[in-house]
Amino acid sequence: MGGVLLSLLLTFGTLSLLAVGGANAVVPEMHRQIVEIHGWLDSATFAQVYALAQAAPGPNILVAAALGWVIAGPAGMGAAFLGIVAPAWGLAWWVAGVTERLAAKPWLKAVRAGLVPIAIGLILASGLIMAQAAAAQLVGLAVAVVAALLVWRTELNLLWVLAAGGVAGLAFL
Amino acid sequence: MTDLAPPPTRLQLFLAFTRVGLFGFGGAAALARQVVVEEKRWLSERDYAEMLAAGQVLPGPNVGNTSVMLGRRFHGFTGALAASSGFYAVPLVLLTGLLLVYGSVADDPRVDSFMHGIAAAAAGMVVGTAVKMGQKLRPPPEMVVIGLLATAAAAWLRLPLPLIVLLLAPFAVGAALRRQKARG
């Protein structure tokens, strides 16, 4: 049991530092590790747990915690969660410290300013990719377009926008 | 630019990021921006954008990383812990509950329709927020081009994110340096 926990911790710990762009970037590697290398789950169970975690509210990265749970119970969930979160957490903490210490350096200001348009561009891309999936039905496309306009043009609370989308889905999808 | 509010307490950080984590639906960066910049006024538009940008290029969820950086800025280690545990804790508890009843909810077609509607709205929310941020930051034209190249590379070419950052960052940082020099 302890062996599995350590193994989970190390497996997800490695994935944590590879997850640039979030959990979705490492799902294929997660599958390879869990199904093919360690044989902890079969492919169908992996897909089920993945779908369940996607449907649950919260950050995508929690799929690791769900897999840990199915593989080794609550302790497995703890190990997988710690593994997927802690290394990236530590890195963010360290970078924040360096950034604060060197805040006055012109090159660092340029790096920070330069990364902003790239990050916003990438976030726009993630929205477009999500919208493409939603646009499989015409109603989904309409909801996405109206939501984008509302969010862009008004200061409306985003939770209302999401709730309205859900209700539109109930009514028309 | 509106004035900033007084620094948040650890509890306020925890609660704000609980809301963001719970209701992000794939668009946590959008929701975090509304809470942190518009509603609470803890950070300026630019400060938030820079923190989010760092969180985006580092491994891990962009808002998870941002929660660590934001928490650290106001309360050091315990602040980072408060903000980031807000982001993960309640969703983790809910996920555990869902695993205990394994799948019985996901089979209901009404839940499915509701979630599809939310996903569509979240997509629009992310697009709308990205446009809004871009607009409010008033970037110079070369930065707009770089941002749109990043969008095209990720959404159409489907290039891996680290590659996009490596390809575009030299140009973006160079352009930022040139602007700095021009301003003196």
Side-chain angles (χ1 to χ4, degrees), chain A residues 19 89 93 121 152 154 156 158, chain B residues 34 60 72 84 132 135 151:
Chain A
W89 198 104
W93 165 265
W152 174 31
T154 74
L156 194 66
L158 299 182
Chain B
Q34 181 166 68
R72 176 178 177 141
S84 59
K132 197 178 199 175
Q135 209 177 23
T151 307

Side-chain angles (χ1 to χ4, degrees), chain A residues 16 19-20 52 57-58 77 89 93 97 106 109-110 112 114 117 121 123 132 144 148 151-152 154 156 158-159 162 165-166 169 173, chain B residues 21-23 34 38 50 52 59-60 68 72 77 84 87 96 99 113-114 117 120 124 126 129 132 135 147 151 158 161 172 180:
Chain A
S16 173
V20 177
L52 185 81
M77 179 186 243
W89 198 104
W93 165 265
K109 283 186 187 163
R112 296 179 68 179
I123 288 167
Q132 196 182 26
V151 171
W152 174 31
T154 74
L156 194 66
L158 299 182
L159 297 185
L162 292 174
L173 286 173
Chain B
L22 208 46
F23 298 110
Q34 181 166 68
E38 284 182 7
E50 288 190 355
L52 180 65
V68 173
R72 176 178 177 141
F77 187 74
S84 59
F87 187 59
T96 308
L99 284 161
S113 304
F114 189 71
V126 173
T129 298
K132 197 178 199 175
Q135 209 177 23
T151 307
R158 299 292 169 109
L161 202 143
Q180 268 180 15

Side-chain angles (χ1 to χ4, degrees), chain A residues 114-163:
Chain A
L115 288 178
V116 167
I118 298 176
I120 294 179
L122 291 173
I123 288 167
L124 178 61
S126 74
L128 292 175
I129 291 170
M130 288 162 72
Q132 196 182 26
Q137 291 112 330
L138 207 58
V139 178
L141 180 63
V143 168
V145 169
V146 172
L149 288 173
L150 279 176
V151 171
W152 174 31
R153 305 301 302 186
T154 74
E155 312 265 285
L156 194 66
N157 190 311
L158 299 182
L159 297 185
W160 289 118
V161 177
L162 292 174

Side-chain angles (χ1 to χ4, degrees), chain B residues 29-180:
Chain B
L31 195 54
R33 181 195 160 275
Q34 181 166 68
V35 172
V36 169
V37 178
E38 284 182 7
E39 187 188 313
K40 307 285 189 190
R41 293 182 294 113
W42 291 334
L43 291 180
S44 70
E45 189 81 46
R46 174 153 302 278
D47 266 354
Y48 174 72
E50 288 190 355
M51 230 177 235
L52 180 65
Q56 178 79 38
V57 299
L58 290 172
N62 52 8
V63 176
N65 291 334
T66 304
S67 72
V68 173
M69 297 177 174
L70 184 88
R72 176 178 177 141
R73 169 173 300 190
F74 291 119
H75 292 291
F77 187 74
T78 50
L81 219 51
S84 59
S85 49
F87 187 59
Y88 295 115
V90 178
L92 195 60
V93 171
L94 286 182
L95 179 64
T96 308
L98 215 57
L99 284 161
L100 285 170
V101 298
Y102 208 86
S104 64
V105 183
D107 288 339
D108 188 330
R110 280 168 308 174
V111 174
D112 220 41
S113 304
F114 189 71
M115 292 310 295
H116 271 108
I118 287 189
M125 173 176 101
V126 173
V127 170
T129 298
V131 174
K132 197 178 199 175
M133 285 178 79
Q135 209 177 23
K136 293 207 167 184
L137 291 166
R138 277 175 298 182
E142 69 271 18
M143 289 300 195
V144 176
V145 172
I146 288 170
L148 290 176
L149 283 175
T151 307
W156 280 286
L157 303 179
R158 299 292 169 109
L159 295 181
L161 202 143
L163 182 65
I164 298 172
V165 174
L166 283 177
L167 286 174
L168 290 176
F171 297 101
V173 175
L177 275 174
R178 191 124 43 101
R179 288 273 164 191
Q180 268 180 15

